Amino acid sequence: TKVKLYDADPKVLKAFANTGVEFIVGLGNEYLDKMRDPAKAQAWVKQNVQSHLPATKITCIFVGNEVLTFNDTSLSNSLLPAMQSVHTALVNLGLDKQVTVTTAHSLSILETSYPPSSGAFREDLVDCLSETLSFHQKTGSPFLINAYPFFAYKGNPKQVLLDFVLFQPNQGVIDPATNLHYDNMLYAQIDAVYNALASLGYKKLPVHISETGWPSKGDEDEVGATADNAKKYNGNLIKLMSKKTGTPMRPNSDLNIYVFALFNENMKPGPTSERNYGLFKPDGTPAYSLGIRSNTTTGGTNGKPLSPIPTPPSTPTSSSTGYLSISPATV
């Protein structure tokens, strides 16, 4: 029911017209300097957002991805002005009540994340973050974080329990300061973010997890990057999300969690894992079977339901069975 795009590809946005599927669209880091100019920001919003509304349900624009942890001052200095210009464009076009503006952060903006009660932002980022958080509060936009327990496990497989990061049954850990019990790392990471925000006076800011996932393949030094672990992580995560429960610290908060990613990115540089986060291969065949069938009938076209996590069976069927058929011919 919700999709995050890293651009505003018109083909994709048009394809989802009148489906009810919600979109977050992205403005890449390479656009930040240009978007400081309000006129250019308005032209971008007109062309890439307004032209698709209201048929395609675009609810949010994220300006830049993990900008603050690139340690590039020109990027960091452009982030907030670009966000402000895009928001001003939405106001001018009368779209600010339906479309919010935010940015996505890496979890490494935290200085400390464990135990969750000690969650705090990096000292060198506090000033920059405080201005951005003020913007979120004024405009009512969510704080986006990309959280990957995989990296914690890969970095310290002897100390980090695999079941704890894969949402498998385990004894869990207790935060000594709050006495709260955690049986998975993702929820501990999210609560660390809540505590970091509270320490700066932003206790009520909504937190959305704009990326999380697990690679199905990796290099020799990428411990845990297997199809079996990816299946457990994403499968268990989706089951957990369907229960509609929040974290131990915020049990009533609605968690918006985006699984990264729909497709493997076979042309992406870097370690092997970077090309293998997808639920599907580039040709549309499953990278591994999640074994989840959707009962959801919200959205859909011509009365046919859309499955939030499409898992094509071995025999191709029409989407009317609850599957969204994905193939090179139909994308």
Side-chain angles (χ1 to χ4, degrees):
T1 56
K2 296 185 182 184
V3 177
K4 180 186 175 200
L5 275 187
Y6 287 80
D7 52 26
D9 190 316
K11 287 182 185 173
V12 177
L13 293 171
K14 282 174 186 166
F16 279 84
N18 306 310
T19 62
V21 175
E22 279 186 35
F23 272 83
I24 293 183
V25 296
L27 248 169
N29 295 349
E30 66 275 19
Y31 291 103
L32 292 187
D33 187 50
K34 191 185 286 185
M35 289 301 123
R36 294 177 70 133
D37 180 341
K40 287 177 180 169
Q42 185 145 325
W44 187 90
V45 171
K46 262 187 166 177
Q47 183 182 342
N48 296 285
V49 177
Q50 189 181 39
S51 64
H52 299 288
L53 294 170
T56 302
K57 198 173 178 183
I58 300 170
T59 58
C60 185
I61 301 166
F62 73 100
V63 178
N65 191 51
E66 301 188 347
V67 169
L68 298 186
T69 41
F70 277 110
N71 299 320
D72 179 332
T73 50
S74 65
L75 264 185
S76 300
N77 292 339
S78 294
L79 179 60
L80 184 59
M83 289 168 71
Q84 288 168 329
S85 287
V86 172
H87 176 70
T88 300
L90 290 167
V91 172
N92 292 343
L93 298 168
L95 302 174
D96 57 303
K97 295 289 184 281
Q98 54 185 304
V99 185
T100 57
V101 177
T102 186
T103 186
H105 299 285
S106 155
L107 199 67
S108 54
I109 59 171
L110 294 181
E111 184 78 52
T112 51
S113 61
Y114 190 82
S117 57
S118 69
F121 293 119
R122 275 170 41 184
E123 278 295 322
D124 59 317
L125 298 179
V126 166
D127 288 346
C128 183
L129 269 169
S130 293
E131 292 180 351
T132 310
L133 294 171
S134 176
F135 171 86
H136 287 309
Q137 193 172 59
K138 284 175 190 164
T139 62
S141 57
F143 186 77
L144 303 188
I145 199 91
N146 300 336
Y148 287 92
F150 167 70
F151 293 131
Y153 179 74
K154 179 185 127 178
N156 201 353
K158 289 180 181 174
Q159 296 294 319
V160 178
L161 186 69
L162 186 60
D163 285 344
F164 184 64
V165 290
L166 294 179
F167 309 98
Q168 293 284 97
N170 67 95
Q171 286 188 331
V173 295
I174 291 175
D175 187 319
T178 60
N179 224 26
L180 292 172
H181 179 261
Y182 291 87
D183 61 9
N184 72 78
M185 182 174 281
L186 181 66
Y187 279 15
Q189 291 177 334
I190 296 169
D191 277 357
V193 173
Y194 280 133
N195 278 298
L197 289 168
S199 71
L200 294 183
Y202 295 93
K203 196 175 179 179
K204 294 183 178 177
L205 209 61
V207 173
H208 295 178
I209 307 307
S210 44
E211 283 183 27
T212 193
W214 197 282
S216 58
K217 203 182 288 182
D219 295 320
E220 277 186 27
D221 63 340
E222 295 189 293
V223 186
T226 67
D228 187 52
N229 286 343
K231 179 178 178 176
K232 284 175 182 170
Y233 185 86
N234 286 326
N236 287 335
L237 173 65
I238 291 160
K239 285 176 193 168
L240 195 61
M241 285 162 62
S242 69
K243 291 179 182 173
K244 307 266 185 201
T245 55
T247 63
M249 197 176 126
R250 300 278 177 87
N252 300 317
S253 285
D254 182 24
L255 283 177
N256 278 280
I257 300 179
Y258 289 81
V259 176
F260 183 88
L262 189 56
F263 293 104
N264 280 340
E265 299 173 274
N266 59 338
M267 295 172 71
K268 196 173 186 178
T272 298
S273 62
E274 287 294 315
R275 292 178 288 285
N276 289 280
Y277 273 92
L279 304 180
F280 294 88
K281 296 173 184 175
D283 66 1
T285 58
Y288 51 91
S289 171
L290 269 181
I292 289 177
R293 295 179 69 131
S294 171
N295 297 321
T296 308
T297 54
T298 50
T301 53
N302 302 323
K304 295 179 181 179
L306 284 173
S307 166
I309 304 293
T311 312
S314 53
T315 309
T317 65
S318 77
S319 58
S320 59
T321 62
Y323 293 104
L324 176 62
S325 178
I326 295 181
S327 72
T330 58
V331 167

